[in-house]
Amino acid sequence: MESQNDREIAIRVEGLTKSFGDKVVVRNLSMTVKRGQIYGFLGPNGSGKTTTIRMLCGLLTPDSGQGTCLGYDILTEADRIKERVGYMTQRFSLYQDLSIRENLEFVARIYGLENPTQAARDAIERLGLKGRENQLASDLSGGWKQRLSLGACILPSPDLLLLDEPTAGVDPKARRDFWNEIHALAAEGLTVLVSTHYMDEAERCHEIAYLAYGELLTHGTVAEVIGRSGLETWTVTGPEPHDLALELESTPGVDMVAPFGTSLHVSGRDHPALDQALKGFKARKDLTWERSEPSLEDVFIDLMQRSRDNFVEAKP
Amino acid sequence: MMNAPLRRRASAFSRFAAMFVKEFIQLKRDRVTFATMIIVPLMQLLLFGFAINTNPRHLPTAILLQEDSDIGRAIIGALKNTSYFDITRIASTRAEFDGWIKSGDILFGIEIPANFARAVRRGDNPSLLVVADASDPVAAGTALGSLDGIIGTALRGLHGLPDNSGAQPFTIVQQRRYNPAAVTSLNIVPGLLGTILTMTMLIFTSLSVTRELERGTMESLLSMPIDPLQIMLGKITPYIVVGFVQAAIILLAGVTIFAVPIDGSLALLIGVTILFVTATLSVGYTFSTIARNQLQAIQMSMMFFLPNILLSGFMFPFAGMPGWAQVIGQMLPLTHYLRTVRGIMLKGASASDLTTEIIWVAVLTVVVMSIAVTRFRRTLD
């Protein structure tokens, strides 16, 4: 019997670990995603996002750990999971030598939809590809390929979407449309796990998780993640920001300096040390200082730096 | 001024060297190409050197003894002494004897008629019947040629023979069955049917899974609810149709251009061809599940194709090969298909004559398909 609680949970995994050769790609990862949520998966390249997603849909077998996806055991019930999950791969993975219609009909048949031709026709209309249905997938631009992939994923009306960097290399307008669609789907009750590098996309998620070097470093809502970071951030404007950045970076107590247009974000974890460090700079007449919230990017870069330090130290 | 051209020449060489080193490293890393380079020449050498024998000896022979006499035994002894004939079976009726030839269990049948010894002693010059399966002219040719030599030697040392040194004591009547004129094309065309099908079918399916891997579509496919058996059957079936069309073209050309007969049932021929095409497609598909890229798949297909040409009885007589080569040959679907096709087309053999061969092809198909399905990687691990 499923408990009420279980029915509200789309993904619950504990202690997932996966290595390739002697390289640990995902280390002891635990996470919970509630149904109907858009869950953002962030982290630098090679942090284990794709590997985690693949373990969730049965494409990879974890070395250790356990969990469920849509209530099915990820170790033993991959077949059931595949029927209810739409997985959009990072690289376009529909058939380039099939037309849009043929690709969609193929997917519809594999999932055993009752009327594949009609299902494909409806999807083409929904995607705004009417009139182009006989074009080969290879002839589509990046943005349209991405739309087609998403269309193919949601065609069998899955309960969970796993999207692996769906908007990489797609223009801003197409990105916005894409996210509007994702929100519309979530509003209908679909759960979406999406990996991305874009901070604006992270902010559009209900919850986010940050991975680096195979470890889940933080998770929660955007506000929670920023609040938990313990970073104090100042924005400074002044002449020669590049020289100023170099100068600030070499000052003990300053953990991170990042340029934002003509201004700099200066952050530190140790608040008294940061105040001490900035004292001299604040006295300068040509600089304007303002206390600000750390951005999500500040938080992530800080997390990544710290975890790299740990990672490097941990190595003999 | 002197340095400039020199430096340039050096850099042209270093570019060549860079390319050479890179290619060498890649070659070294590409295990399958490396293996192909070593295994193919070795295989050719071994097969041509040891397995192939265009002057085959120890051919399976049956004897139909209508009487037991010292002369009969002497003739059998002389036949054995030529080392061309291995008496593997003794027939008790003519029908049994004919059936074995049709199914390909024996290549020769020798009948010693009743009252043969008495007729020889009386100086009646009786006939000894030697029936040969000439559907493979190479295999039958030299053995038949050796027969004349035994007439003189067989009876040496036996008593009570008439002393008419001019005339021969008996005559050997040769009966070449299925291809009496020893026309090579009659043997080659049915063989080509199998060989061409093997090559094309292998290439088609050996690419089918690796193509999905290389193009990245496998990741999507594996995330969908479809199992390995469904994938395999879905990939193989279109090519069964292709193979069927190919077979039809070859047969049509064989019949119209080379006047090859189809003595047996066309329906049986079609049925067996479909079975054989399925077997070969399964082999190609299995390679496809093992190879990492399309090139490796092609290389594996070629390595499989070579013994098919040499050891199946297509190019060289199967019966002439040493035991180990025959064992390898038995494992190839083509070997059994060739016997079946030659049986149906040239000998008019029926399904019951060819049961063993058909079962072989079917069993090999099931075995290879099982390997393919278990080899198929359901995950990206």
Side-chain angles (χ1 to χ4, degrees), chain B residues 259-327:
Chain B
V260 179
I262 301 181
D263 280 350
S265 146
L266 185 61
L268 178 63
L269 183 60
I270 290 170
V272 173
T273 302
I274 289 173
L275 181 61
F276 170 69
V277 164
T278 312
T280 313
L281 289 171
S282 319
V283 173
Y285 187 81
T286 306
F287 290 157
S288 195
T289 59
I290 298 169
R292 290 230 194 94
N293 53 51
Q294 299 192 34
L295 179 67
Q296 285 192 357
I298 295 279
Q299 287 169 326
M300 287 182 187
S301 303
M302 283 300 135
M303 275 207 251
F304 178 73
F305 188 58
L306 189 63
N308 266 288
I309 290 277
L310 301 176
L311 300 185
S312 64
F314 164 67
M315 242 182 209
F316 308 103
F318 190 84
M321 301 191 306
W324 60 267
Q326 291 196 5
V327 169

Side-chain angles (χ1 to χ4, degrees), chain A residues 9 25 45 112 114 127-128 144 152 162 166 170 172 196 204 213 221 229 242 268 282 290 295 308-309:
Chain A
I9 301 297
V25 182
N45 293 328
E114 246 169 46
L127 289 166
W144 281 108
L162 300 173
V170 167
T196 178
R204 285 164 163 263
Y213 303 101
T221 64
S229 73
H242 180 69
K282 281 183 178 161
E290 202 182 319
S295 70
R308 185 184 56 204
D309 294 345

Side-chain angles (χ1 to χ4, degrees), chain B residues 161-360:
Chain B
L161 292 169
D163 185 29
N164 45 353
S165 39
Q168 288 183 333
F170 62 95
T171 309
I172 293 180
V173 177
Q174 292 188 9
Q175 202 183 88
R176 287 166 181 260
R177 291 210 182 150
Y178 313 122
N179 187 1
V183 181
T184 313
S185 64
L186 288 196
N187 183 50
I188 290 286
V189 171
L192 273 178
L193 175 63
T195 315
I196 294 171
L197 283 177
T198 301
M199 187 161 82
T200 50
M201 295 298 110
L202 267 182
I203 302 270
F204 288 144
T205 40
S206 68
L207 298 179
S208 64
V209 175
T210 43
R211 194 187 293 131
E212 302 248 8
L213 278 176
E214 270 184 30
R215 295 188 183 168
T217 51
M218 189 53 98
E219 198 182 345
S220 255
L221 190 61
L222 289 179
S223 75
M224 294 182 192
I226 183 165
D227 68 45
L229 186 66
Q230 294 157 349
I231 294 176
M232 178 176 76
L233 295 179
K235 278 179 171 293
I236 282 182
T237 315
Y239 292 112
I240 294 182
V241 179
V242 175
F244 181 75
V245 171
Q246 277 195 339
I249 293 171
I250 300 167
L251 280 176
L252 201 67
V255 171
T256 53
I257 302 171
F258 298 103
V260 179
I262 301 181
D263 280 350
S265 146
L266 185 61
L268 178 63
L269 183 60
I270 290 170
V272 173
T273 302
I274 289 173
L275 181 61
F276 170 69
V277 164
T278 312
T280 313
L281 289 171
S282 319
V283 173
Y285 187 81
T286 306
F287 290 157
S288 195
T289 59
I290 298 169
R292 290 230 194 94
N293 53 51
Q294 299 192 34
L295 179 67
Q296 285 192 357
I298 295 279
Q299 287 169 326
M300 287 182 187
S301 303
M302 283 300 135
M303 275 207 251
F304 178 73
F305 188 58
L306 189 63
N308 266 288
I309 290 277
L310 301 176
L311 300 185
S312 64
F314 164 67
M315 242 182 209
F316 308 103
F318 190 84
M321 301 191 306
W324 60 267
Q326 291 196 5
V327 169
I328 299 174
Q330 292 283 6
M331 297 298 142
L332 306 173
L334 182 61
T335 305
H336 304 284
Y337 179 67
L338 284 186
R339 292 179 193 163
T340 314
V341 173
R342 284 174 180 163
I344 296 171
M345 291 180 74
L346 305 180
K347 303 183 190 174
S350 65
S352 56
D353 294 319
L354 300 165
T355 320
T356 325
E357 307 300 339
I358 295 172
I359 289 175
W360 261 104

